[in-house]
C-alpha cells in the first residue's frame, strides 16, 4: 500500500510539525494540504517537525480536497463521529481494517480534517471509505497529530497476505461500479447520503474479479430496466 496523507485546512503549527515528523518516521513522502491556515515553513512548524522538517519542501498545497485525491486508487476519510444507526454517511471501519479492504499495491489517500470541526459531510461523501478510532472510553476525539500517529502505525502493520483468496477487483473496475451506483441512485431518487452509503459498502466488500463482473451485470441490468420502465418515459 502506498500512502498519501491529506490534511484539510490544518489550523495548528505545532500539530503540523508533529505530523511532518510522523511522516518521516513512517516513510510517508506524499503529503497534500488543502488551504492551510498558516505558513507551512513557519519556524514553529520546523522546530516541532525535528527530523521531518525536510519534508516541508515536498508538501503540495491545493485549493480543494478533490485536487488532493487525484491520482489515488482509494480514499479514506477519518472522523470522530461515526456509527449512528440513522446516519448513512457515517458508517465507519477501524484503521486496522483498511489494509484488509484495499487491494495490495493500491495508492491510498488518508484524509484528516480541521482540528476544530473535522471534515464536512460533503468531504466525507467524496471518500471511498469512512474510518474512525474506537477507544475504551466514550470520548474518542484525538488531537489530529495523535490520530495520524495511530493510523500510520496501524497501516504500517498491514498484513503481507491478502484477506481474500483470489484476484481482487481492480480500482478502475470499482470506479465503474461506483458510477452505476450513482446512476441507479439518481434513477431511484435516493438521497446523496444513501448513495454514498451504498458506494462505501461496495468499497468495503473486498470484491474479487468474478464478483465484480457479477455485480456489474446486476447494476447495469437494473439500470437498463428502470430506464425502460413506463415511469421513466
Amino acid at each position: 500500500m502506498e500512502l498519501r496523507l491529506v490534511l484539510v485546512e490544518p489550523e495548528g503549527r505545532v500539530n503540523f510539525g508533529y505530523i511532518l515528523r510522523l511522516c518521516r518516521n513512517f516513510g510517508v513522502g506524499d503529503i497534500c494540504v488543502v488551504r492551510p491556515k498558516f505558513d507551512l515553513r513557519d519556524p514553529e512548524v520546523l522546530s516541532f517537525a525535528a527530523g521531518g522538517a525536510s519534508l516541508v519542501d515536498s508538501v503540495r498545497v491545493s485549493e480543494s480536497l478533490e485536487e488532493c485525491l487525484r491520482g489515488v486508487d482509494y480514499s479514506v476519510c477519518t472522523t470522530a463521529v461515526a456509527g449512528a444507526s440513522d446516519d448513512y454517511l457515517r458508517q465507519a471501519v477501524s484503521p486496522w481494517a483498511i489494509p484488509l479492504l484495499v487491494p495490495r499495491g493500491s495508492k491510498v489517500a488518508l484524509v484528516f480534517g480541521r482540528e476544530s470541526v473535522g471534515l464536512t459531510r460533503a468531504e466525507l461523501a467524496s471518500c471511498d471509505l469512512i474510518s474512525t478510532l474506537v477507544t475504551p472510553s466514550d470520548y474518542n476525539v484525538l488531537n489530529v497529530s495523535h490520530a495520524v500517529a495511530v493510523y500510520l502505525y496501524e497501516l504500517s502493520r498491514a498484513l503481507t497476505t491478502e484477506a481474500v483468496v483470489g484476484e481482487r477487483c481492480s480500482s478502475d473496475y470499482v470506479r465503474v461500479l461506483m458510477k452505476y451506483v450513482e446512476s441507479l441512485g439518481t434513477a431511484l431518487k435516493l438521497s446523496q447520503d444513501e448513495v454514498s452509503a451504498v458506494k462505501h459498502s461496495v468499497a468495503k466488500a473486498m470484491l474479487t474479479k468474478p464478483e465484480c463482473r457479477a455485480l456489474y451485470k446486476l447494476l447495469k441490468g437494473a439500470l437498463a430496466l428502470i430506464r425502460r420502465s413506463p415511469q421513466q418515459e
Side-chain angles (χ1 to χ4, degrees):
M1 180 189 303
E2 184 181 353
L3 277 181
R4 172 181 298 168
L5 187 71
V6 179
L7 303 173
V8 177
E9 297 186 356
E11 299 158 333
R13 295 171 177 81
V14 173
N15 277 334
F16 185 65
Y18 280 141
I19 289 170
L20 288 177
R21 183 173 183 170
L22 285 164
C23 287
R24 175 70 186 279
N25 293 149
F26 289 95
V28 178
D30 190 351
I31 307 167
C32 189
V33 178
V34 180
R35 297 187 300 274
K37 301 302 182 182
F38 51 85
D39 181 359
L40 299 187
R41 291 173 175 77
D42 185 282
E44 191 172 27
V45 169
L46 301 180
S47 174
F48 281 90
S54 60
L55 290 176
V56 75
D57 294 327
S58 61
V59 174
R60 290 188 296 118
V61 177
S62 298
E63 283 301 310
S64 68
L65 176 57
E66 181 182 6
E67 289 180 15
C68 281
L69 296 184
R70 286 176 187 158
V72 300
D73 300 311
Y74 289 90
S75 53
V76 182
C77 277
T78 60
T79 179
V81 183
S85 60
D86 59 347
D87 193 336
Y88 295 111
L89 188 58
R90 294 184 183 272
Q91 304 307 304
V93 299
S94 295
W96 60 262
I98 296 170
L100 303 179
L101 299 173
V102 175
R104 192 190 313 171
S106 299
K107 188 174 184 65
V108 179
L110 189 58
V111 184
F112 293 87
R114 305 154 187 84
E115 285 98 325
S116 55
V117 295
L119 296 168
T120 66
R121 293 185 68 83
E123 288 163 348
L124 290 172
S126 70
C127 280
D128 298 308
L129 290 171
I130 305 298
S131 181
T132 195
L133 289 172
V134 179
T135 62
S137 75
D138 60 355
Y139 183 61
N140 71 330
V141 182
L142 272 67
N143 174 285
V144 66
S145 65
H146 298 171
V148 170
V150 173
Y151 272 90
L152 293 185
Y153 175 72
E154 288 289 350
L155 296 183
S156 73
R157 299 170 62 223
L159 299 178
T160 57
T161 57
E162 289 280 10
V164 173
V165 177
E167 187 175 357
R168 293 285 293 276
C169 193
S170 70
S171 59
D172 289 338
Y173 211 145
V174 172
R175 295 294 178 208
V176 172
L177 295 179
M178 298 297 195
K179 292 297 183 184
Y180 272 102
V181 169
E182 291 173 356
S183 297
L184 268 175
T186 299
L188 295 171
K189 296 182 171 58
L190 299 183
S191 70
Q192 184 56 54
D193 281 359
E194 289 171 322
V195 172
S196 294
V198 176
K199 290 170 67 177
H200 292 161
S201 298
V202 172
K204 289 188 284 189
M206 296 191 288
L207 297 168
T208 61
K209 274 191 171 181
E211 291 168 337
C212 261
R213 287 195 294 267
L215 184 55
Y216 170 77
K217 290 179 180 178
L218 176 65
L219 294 173
K220 185 177 181 180
L223 185 60
L225 285 173
I226 291 172
R227 287 175 172 171
R228 288 201 301 267
S229 68
Q231 293 180 345
Q232 296 294 316
E233 295 177 355

